[in-house]
Amino acid sequence: MSEHYVILLVLVPLLASPLCIFSRNARAAWGFAVLACLTSLYLVFQVWAEVMATGPITYHIGDWAPPVGIEYRVDAVNAWVLLIVAVIGSVVAPYARVSVEREVEAGRIPLFYAAFLLCFTGLLGITVTGDVFNVFVFLEVSSLSAYGLIALGQDRRALTSAFRYLIMGSVGATFIVIGIGLMYVMTGSLNMADLAQLLPQVWDTRTIKVAYGFLAVGVFLKLALFPLHLWLPNAYTFAPSAVTAFIAATATKVAVYMLLRFFFTVFGAPFSFDVMRLDMVLLPLALVAIVTMSLVAIFQVNVKRLLAYSSVAQIGYMILGISFASVTGLTAALLHLFNHALMKGALFMCMGCVMYRIGSVHIDAMAGLGKRMPLTMAAFVVAGLSLVGVPLTVGFISKWYLILGALERGWWPVAILVLITSLMALVYVWRVVEVAYFQEFPHDEDTQEAPWALLIPMWALVLANVWFGIDARTTVASAEQAAQTLMGGAP
Amino acid sequence: MTPPALVLASLLIPALGTVFVLLLRKNPNAREAASLVTAGVLFGTVLRVYRAVMAGDRPAIVLAEPIPGIPIELEAEPLGVLFALIASFLWIVTTLYAIGYMRGHHEENQTRFYTFFAFAIASVMGVAFAGNLFTLFIFYEVLSLSTFPLVTHAGTEAAKRAGRIYLGVLFSTSIVFQLLAIIWTYAIAGTLDFTSGGILSGRAAAGVVPILLGLFVFGVGKAAVMPFHRWLPAAMVAPTPVSALLHAVAVVKAGVFSILKITVYIFGIDFLTQVGASVWLMWVAAATIILGSLVAFTKDNLKARLAYSTVSQLSYIVLGAMLANASGIIGGGMHIAMHAFGKITLFFCAGAIMVVAHKTEISQLKGLGRTMPVTFFAFFIGTLSIVGLPPAGGSWSKWFLGMGALEAGQVGLVAVLMLSSLLSLAYLMEIPLKGFFYAPDEAPHHEGVHEAPTPSLIAIVATAVACLILFVFPEPFYELMTLVVTP
Amino acid sequence: MTLLSHYNYWVVILLMMVGFYTMISRGNLIKKMVGLNVFQTSVFMLYISMGKIRGGTAPILMDAHGESSETAHVLYSNPLPHVLILTAIVVGIATTAVGLALIVRIKETYGSIEEDEINQIEAEGAA
């Protein structure tokens, strides 16, 4: 049985999704969603433990041997990303019930959970597969359901932002297909391990370089790398709170994983960094993203939008780590993948609580909330400090490795820039804190603390922020092993 | 308890104190008693650590390991014990003083005040007993955060603005300079442990050391080396006990203590002298000493004048560290103690004057010494200690600092020390002079004004007497400091 | 190898640019969707045309009655790209469906499917 875990972790949420639709009942659909997420989490955890203990696992779908058949292959890298997605999914799903009841029309709730599970399936599928075309299919599964989820937001602007995301996301996905097609033309293979063997013989052809370019742009669009991030702020702002928490913590992370998988495993680090000079593309884009997006975030009045811009900046940190092209840099990027999921998940969940009680996430509406919703705002402070990178939170661990990586390369101006932008994060987090704690609550009516159903999952993430900030041995070991796998070339 | 457990206990006791304070919030008398008892127990614990360390023990305990190879570790060594002794002793005195002050001044949110106060002390103990640079950095930042609610205690617009400056300066310097320097050190040395003789010797290139040292000196914003001193005057909006203990003793001393510790245990004084990396920073410190004194002259507000005096005096200790020889380090360490007792006396007096006579400006103090003779006499003794005149303890630290400057061959710095002593004599002596020898401006409106509330008065007398005792009995601190420089 | 010897690529590039341009330049949401479709179709063409071999036939076993020794010599087109594109077409249809559904909802709430009008309405709403 346990050898099938790799496929089951994708199949369970996929099959649970129609159950949600057929149940036609909000509570039942939610039950299926939570059950499916937790089952997946259990399977992912088993797979992760096995990979960490004994090395990569492969699974041949329908017992067709690769490279003809589709192969699922889990090594230290995707085991790590699977864990991120499954953990966040399993925290957001229980959180969703109360939040979604408030923000989504009753009749659409079963559909919401169906789309949620499909999105979850797609993200897990992208991560688990060892076949490049399969990546595209799962990418579209997750993206199409994400468009639907975003469009369920209360504000009508959710519709237009979902549409814009659809156009840009489809273009990105199509670019990825073009890149895959060109690789196939040159090698006749779609299997990642096989491609890694075959590609070095055709490195110097123009076709492969063009394929590389298409893949790069497609993936950059998906992970919202500056300046291809325009779809992100609106989509995050107007989506239902639970969706924002889920997508912000997972979708861009999986896109970063795609980047790592394509450029380190399939093409190999030597081709990416010695032939294509990927680092010289990533480094300036990452720096510009970090600085400009942090600046933009400072001036936002809608806190969800503020956090969305901060996400674009934080993605810049991950890309920055990748651009160092070293084990330390990659460790930083992979750590931040996990750590950013924890902090942004928690922060967007706070916004969900605020939305639940006062129906707005405008910064002025949050005046005095520190007294009215102490647990929610305390969570915001802790997760916000984690975003800044204060010691004893996970954000600090990421920053530590990122700066260590920069200093190893001798890029000390980059290290200074990272530190200065942490201060910018402090400014935008502090703006919210000041409003919440130093201004008086304007309304007369009693605004109370958010319900426990929202607080418990949120605080689980917040405490994870602190726990993995105080004892990061597990996370650092996993990220380091993954980084070494990536730098070592073929899986 | 075993010595490592004692070290841990000195962190936990004030942390537990916060819990008691919170539990007893309904009953102010019990709450303040809890504060006092906690402070007393803490001092007792630190004393036992002191005995262990003097017996040659170096108790250490690892709390957690956030990053593989970089644990959060507590270790008691002589310099840390010196700092912990001073902070924990003065906490008792300050609590006593605060009881009189906070009630006399009818402050609100007193529970919050005592809670965060105890919490700040817990982080001070963490700074004092940090076993490596990483642990030091963590408690340094926790200290900044836990004192923020104390600085903004009044909750007014001015307090909020001051809080922004406070946190802004302390965070930006510590994150941009200090953290960079720490990670850089780790990249060079592969470790962050405090080791006698330093960890950089033979590993860091000579050209890098001056820059790295500069990053540390400016990065420890709590040491208030110019131009990063603005937070200290800003923090004076806080209630006086906060200014007294935290911004004359605990927080600022945490800064200069960090610099001393980094100089001795990360760079190593022999290595620094050999490379000559600290010469430029000696002059930065010297400039801060003189400029701080000059700015203090221009301030009429009593607390502001004391704040700039602190800025100037802190750089004595930075200078001692940068001299990087035995006398300089001993002088710096002893000045931590001497300045602490002297400056806290001055702040206590300033607070007493404010609570009893409602005077905050120096020009309003004429003749007040006749109605508050004890307070003004204590102020006079504190002044002697700050200036470095016998029979007050401050003369010893000045002596060693001067020796250190001569040994380093920096005659110019000796002149700076002399000049600044004169300056501080002038700007501080003005206050007792005004108090005792000037006639009041108007008809005696000091009716009903007498000495400070009894608990506060006890505290004032205690610290003033301590200044005098330290002149004849400075050995404990001297012995600890010789242990620091002779490994 | 002349300029036109790989004319299929030219067709693909032309279609791709037409689709891309439509998507960027048109303000009408339906036209944007059509542009996206044309853009995706060009990629389908790319895949299918690369599977074709001159003189090759459909990849079907010729001699079903046991004379299998001949089959090895039959030249046939690579079927895999076709299969892939079958999947991609399904994905493309799904995308179009979601896009059109969104356009219907946009029309219902904004009363328009012109991008500049929608932007104007949103700007007024925000002000």
Side-chain angles (χ1 to χ4, degrees), chain A residues 79 111 127 133 302 347 442:
Chain A
L111 299 175
T127 315
F133 200 81
N302 181 316
L347 284 171

Side-chain angles (χ1 to χ4, degrees), chain B residues 33-69:
Chain B
S35 278
L36 261 181
V37 169
T38 318
V41 173
L42 176 65
F43 182 63
T45 316
V46 176
L47 261 184
R48 291 179 64 185
V49 176
Y50 165 71
R51 278 199 216 108
V53 168
M54 288 308 283
D57 197 5
R58 294 287 179 275
I61 182 170
V62 174
L63 300 182
E65 196 169 332
I67 300 174

Side-chain angles (χ1 to χ4, degrees), chain A residues 350-361:
Chain A
C350 288
M351 288 305 108
C353 294
V354 172
M355 195 77 174
Y356 183 85
R357 280 299 180 208
I358 62 174
S360 165
V361 288

